[in-house]
C-alpha cells in the first residue's frame, strides 16, 4: 500500500495548522463530503471555483498550503490506476 497522495492528506500531515473545534468540523466536512479528491484538488489550486458550502476559512488555508507546496515541488495528484484495470 502506498501513502494517500491527496492534497488534504499532505495538508494534515505536513502542516497541521492550529484549528478551532468549528474549523476542525469544517475540515472534516470538506474531506468527507465531496465525492472525490479531485474536487478538493481543483478547488484548492483554484482550477475550479469552490462551491459556496465549502468556501470557508479552512478552504482558504488549504489554498494557501497548495500555493506553498507548488513552490516547493509538484503535487502528486490522486492515482488513476482504476482507469487502467482490466474490465471484470
Amino acid at each position: 500500500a502506498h501513502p494517500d497522495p491527496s492534497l488534504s492528506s499532505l495538508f494534515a500531515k505536513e502542516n497541521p495548522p492550529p484549528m478551532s473545534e468549528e474549523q476542525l468540523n469544517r475540515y472534516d466536512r470538506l474531506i468527507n463530503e465531496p465525492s472525490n479528491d479531485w474536487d478538493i484538488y481543483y478547488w484548492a489550486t483554484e482550477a475550479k471555483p469552490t462551491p459556496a458550502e465549502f468556501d470557508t476559512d479552512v478552504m482558504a488555508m488549504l489554498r494557501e498550503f497548495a500555493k506553498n507546496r507548488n513552490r516547493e515541488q509538484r503535487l502528486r495528484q490522486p492515482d488513476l490506476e482504476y482507469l487502467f484495470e482490466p474490465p471484470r
Side-chain angles (χ1 to χ4, degrees), residues 71-83:
R71 279 192 216 111
E72 293 169 19
Q73 66 183 51
R74 287 185 66 94
L75 283 169
R76 185 165 163 244
Q77 297 174 345
D79 291 331
L80 297 178
E81 291 166 358
Y82 68 92
L83 291 176

Side-chain angles (χ1 to χ4, degrees), residues 41-57:
Y41 177 83
Y42 291 140
W43 302 336
T45 57
E46 300 181 85
K48 291 184 179 178
T50 305
E53 68 265 31
F54 297 113
D55 200 5
T56 65
D57 55 342

Side-chain angles (χ1 to χ4, degrees), residues 14-31:
E14 294 186 14
N15 186 28
M19 287 196 236
S20 68
E21 188 172 341
E22 292 81 11
Q23 287 173 318
L24 287 170
N25 289 336
R26 286 192 287 277
Y27 179 71
D28 187 61
R29 181 170 175 237
L30 173 66
I31 62 172

Side-chain angles (χ1 to χ4, degrees), residues 3-14:
D4 184 342
S6 73
L7 178 64
S8 55
S9 293
L10 290 169
F11 175 69
K13 287 177 189 167
E14 294 186 14

